[in-house]
Amino acid sequence: TDAMPPLPLPDLRSTIDKYLVSVQPLLSEEQMATTREVAERFLKNEGPVLQRSLEMLRCQTRNWLENIWIKLAYMKGRSRVAVNSNVYCIGQLTRPTQSRKNRAAMMTYTSLEFMTLYQKNKLPCFKTMGMVPMCNSGYSYAFGTYRIPGVGEDSLRNTPDSQHVVIMCNGHYYKASIYAEDGSLVTAHEWLERITYIEEQSAGDDGTEVAALTGQDRDTWAKQYAGIRESSVNSATLDDIETSAFLVVLDDSSPTSLTDVGNCFMMGDGSNRNFDKTYSLIVCANGEVGTNIEHAPCDATIWARIWEYCLHHECYTEDGELPKSEKELRRLPGVIKLPWELSGFKEEIAAAKQENLAFFATVDNGVKRMQFGKGAMKKLRVSPDGFTQMVIQLAYYRLHQRFTMTYESASTRMFHHGRTETIRPLSMASVEFCKTMDDPDVRRELVASSLRKAIKVQTDRKLDAVAGLGVDRHLIGLYAVSMQGGSTPPELFRDPGWSSLKFD
């Protein structure tokens, strides 16, 4: 991490030129003319002043964007994080075991194994295409992190040396230490013994649905959070949840289709997901496994590696049991049930659950296994990523007969504490492709040519983004420094061009 180069600060004129090109497909000719005039005035007036502020910031830190980004993109966001921000992962297409407790025990162990590799600096540096090293700083927030709700702005609580996990089962919360008395990790078999005990203790006794509160808009939840913390009992329990390495959620549902599995891990039943915990390991009654991840501290490339490791290293016998171990089960620190005092919050909790369920009902999520993959695209000698992005453009155009802002993420982990930059797949070239594709009078070879041109534009933008020379993050930085002290943002950030880059 310390050896990674600093994040570049793009040239102001270059960013504005790219910005004008990226918004052109979204604006009328009249709007585009106005946006060009506004951009030129910005370059002559406020732009250079704001750029100098970013240059000063770049001299003070190796990633000028880091604090700006997490605050504007996440901490200041007031809408619910469930669905809107949190992400989820699913397990293999074929379950290696049907046992919830066996899989929970194994996946808890492999998750902690990965965490320990990182903490002991034994995690090999990942290199793009085997050559370019990627910054590992995101792993320090993957475990032991919690998003604390606040009125107006949230904050992150990070406990890098967490000593325990918290297990949720039937509305009950249990704290379990990670390490044995000799300092070694608790084994999968020992986790199985603990989880079996927890299942027995919580059976037939519904606990609290307090986690429902985390699914609300942030300000509503922040006020309730402050009230709940007034109790010393609740405060201690929240501390244990917030400082845990991660949550293990023993889910009673048994989803079967990929879509049901995805919905389960993304949303749950409205009360059995704590959407503020960075890593929730979820195991269903039928052995399905997945995650729900609070997005603020780290991004998909971090979780892809963690999750791949966990799935790759889990192992079972042919009948789904844990492999036999010659090691004897040790006397471990006891599992502690965490208490709550929530009698004054029953109405809020019930209302939050119903509100969550009503919102979840509006979510259209589909997970399908496609027979047409990157191998087929490579045979066409085109970028699989670019091809897929043009499929999305064409599908949207056919559905709505118009074009809209499209967000694709690129990783900037080649740089110190790098996270992401935006790729804008929508371009005048992609517009031309979509129109020629559906025009029966256009020869197929011309359609293929227009597709390749659109993919090239998308690829060029991707290369700029990965190199830290994209458009969106630079503009966000300029916007952020312009707003210091409560100032009115420059005209550029009040123009239809800027507005067009926001989601419909």
Side-chain angles (χ1 to χ4, degrees):
T1 295
D2 291 339
M4 304 302 291
L7 182 71
L9 177 63
D11 173 73
L12 181 60
R13 165 59 78 172
S14 175
T15 291
I16 295 301
D17 287 345
K18 293 175 184 177
Y19 162 70
L20 291 173
V21 172
S22 69
V23 300
Q24 188 176 359
L26 298 167
L27 302 177
S28 66
E29 290 185 10
E30 182 179 352
Q31 287 175 321
M32 191 66 211
T34 300
T35 295
R36 286 195 180 97
E37 293 173 1
V38 169
E40 286 301 321
R41 287 196 290 271
F42 180 78
L43 285 169
K44 293 177 181 178
N45 299 311
E46 309 99 330
V49 177
L50 300 175
Q51 180 76 353
R52 282 194 292 273
S53 295
L54 292 182
E55 289 170 351
M56 291 176 61
L57 189 59
R58 181 184 59 176
C59 292
Q60 298 166 5
T61 177
R62 295 173 65 193
N63 189 316
W64 59 268
L65 177 65
E66 185 174 15
N67 292 331
I68 291 173
W69 176 246
I70 196 167
K71 178 173 286 193
L72 287 185
Y74 297 104
M75 297 296 99
K76 282 189 171 293
R78 297 296 85 197
S79 62
R80 66 179 79 230
V81 295
V83 178
N84 294 330
S85 178
N86 284 31
V87 298
Y88 71 91
C89 303
I90 64 174
Q92 303 100 320
L93 294 176
T94 302
R95 295 192 301 276
T97 178
Q98 311 292 318
S99 167
R100 180 175 75 172
K101 61 184 179 182
N102 286 347
R103 200 154 201 201
M106 179 61 72
M107 292 297 285
T108 299
Y109 177 73
T110 58
S111 294
L112 292 170
E113 197 174 46
F114 185 97
M115 182 187 78
T116 304
L117 283 175
Y118 175 75
Q119 290 175 338
K120 294 183 176 180
N121 293 317
K122 293 183 178 180
L123 185 67
C125 178
F126 179 78
K127 296 181 179 180
T128 301
M129 301 181 71
M131 297 182 290
V132 182
M134 306 286 274
C135 183
N136 273 355
S137 63
Y139 295 113
S140 63
Y141 291 96
F143 300 94
T145 305
Y146 195 89
R147 180 170 177 159
I148 306 294
V151 176
E153 183 176 340
D154 294 349
S155 59
L156 289 179
R157 181 177 185 178
N158 181 235
T159 309
D161 58 347
S162 177
Q163 302 292 303
H164 67 278
V165 299
V166 169
I167 300 172
M168 296 171 58
C169 185
N170 199 27
H172 299 278
Y173 293 71
Y174 298 84
K175 177 182 178 181
S177 62
I178 292 170
Y179 303 105
E181 291 182 357
D182 63 1
S184 63
L185 281 176
V186 173
T187 67
H189 284 273
E190 290 165 339
W191 280 113
L192 176 59
E193 184 178 48
R194 289 170 153 188
I195 289 167
T196 300
Y197 168 79
I198 288 170
E199 286 184 336
E200 292 172 351
Q201 290 296 307
S202 60
D205 178 19
D206 292 341
T208 176
E209 296 184 325
V210 65
L213 299 175
T214 67
Q216 303 173 102
D217 72 86
R218 302 309 292 172
D219 284 341
T220 297
W221 166 218
K223 294 171 185 175
Q224 295 165 343
Y225 174 87
I228 290 173
R229 263 206 177 270
E230 290 178 0
S231 160
S232 59
V233 170
N234 293 338
S235 188
T237 291
L238 285 169
D239 282 339
D240 283 331
I241 292 171
E242 292 166 11
T243 60
S244 64
F246 53 90
L247 294 182
V248 180
V249 182
L250 303 179
D251 193 305
D252 289 332
S253 67
S254 296
T256 52
S257 72
L258 287 177
T259 294
D260 288 343
V261 169
N263 286 336
C264 173
F265 298 138
M266 178 166 59
M267 297 176 285
D269 69 0
S271 65
N272 63 352
R273 301 285 178 269
N274 186 314
F275 295 106
D276 286 342
K277 190 62 183 174
T278 298
Y279 177 26
S280 290
L281 171 65
I282 305 161
V283 189
C284 296
N286 62 353
E288 285 288 357
V289 69
T291 69
N292 189 278
I293 296 163
E294 201 286 304
H295 199 343
C298 45
D299 302 301
T301 54
I302 295 292
W303 286 107
R305 188 178 185 189
I306 294 172
W307 195 233
E308 182 180 66
Y309 178 95
C310 293
L311 293 175
H312 180 72
H313 286 83
E314 63 172 335
C315 56
Y316 310 89
T317 63
E318 289 186 3
D319 57 357
E321 299 298 319
L322 297 187
K324 289 185 178 180
S325 174
E326 297 179 358
K327 295 181 179 179
E328 292 185 5
L329 297 179
R330 298 167 289 184
R331 289 183 62 86
L332 300 171
V335 172
I336 301 171
K337 185 175 181 180
L338 301 179
W340 294 96
E341 290 181 346
L342 298 168
S343 59
F345 295 91
K346 290 182 179 179
E347 290 184 6
E348 288 93 336
I349 292 170
K353 179 176 182 178
Q354 292 308 309
E355 184 181 318
N356 290 342
L357 291 174
F359 172 67
F360 295 161
T362 69
V363 177
D364 185 6
N365 180 51
V367 183
K368 294 183 179 181
R369 185 181 184 185
M370 306 300 291
Q371 302 303 317
F372 182 80
K374 66 179 181 180
M377 300 175 203
K378 287 182 177 180
K379 289 180 181 179
L380 299 174
R381 303 182 68 83
V382 296
S383 158
D385 174 53
F387 185 96
T388 302
Q389 291 299 324
M390 293 311 115
V391 168
I392 295 171
Q393 292 298 317
L394 180 61
Y396 189 91
Y397 177 66
R398 284 177 171 175
L399 283 170
H400 304 286
Q401 290 300 299
R402 64 184 180 90
F403 300 96
T404 191
M405 183 279 287
T406 312
Y407 178 95
E408 181 187 5
S409 180
S411 176
T412 54
R413 284 178 58 203
M414 291 194 304
F415 304 103
H416 179 79
H417 289 193
R419 293 196 57 174
T420 61
E421 174 59 276
T422 303
I423 309 167
R424 295 293 178 192
L426 175 66
S427 65
M428 296 306 292
S430 70
V431 169
E432 180 65 19
F433 158 66
C434 291
K435 291 181 176 179
T436 57
M437 181 70 180
D438 284 350
D439 187 341
D441 296 328
V442 177
R443 299 196 309 275
R444 293 297 91 184
E445 58 267 27
L446 292 179
V447 174
S449 175
S450 68
L451 171 61
R452 293 181 187 279
K453 289 178 182 177
I455 291 175
K456 184 180 186 308
V457 171
Q458 184 270 349
T459 300
D460 290 344
R461 291 180 177 180
K462 175 170 60 180
L463 294 175
D464 276 349
V466 169
L469 301 175
V471 176
D472 287 59
R473 301 299 184 264
H474 188 193
L475 289 177
I476 286 173
L478 295 167
Y479 171 80
V481 295
S482 78
M483 295 298 291
Q484 291 176 352
S487 302
T488 301
E491 186 183 12
L492 182 77
F493 302 114
R494 293 178 280 119
D495 178 72
W498 175 257
S499 299
S500 72
L501 293 181
K502 300 176 182 179
F503 287 108
D504 287 348

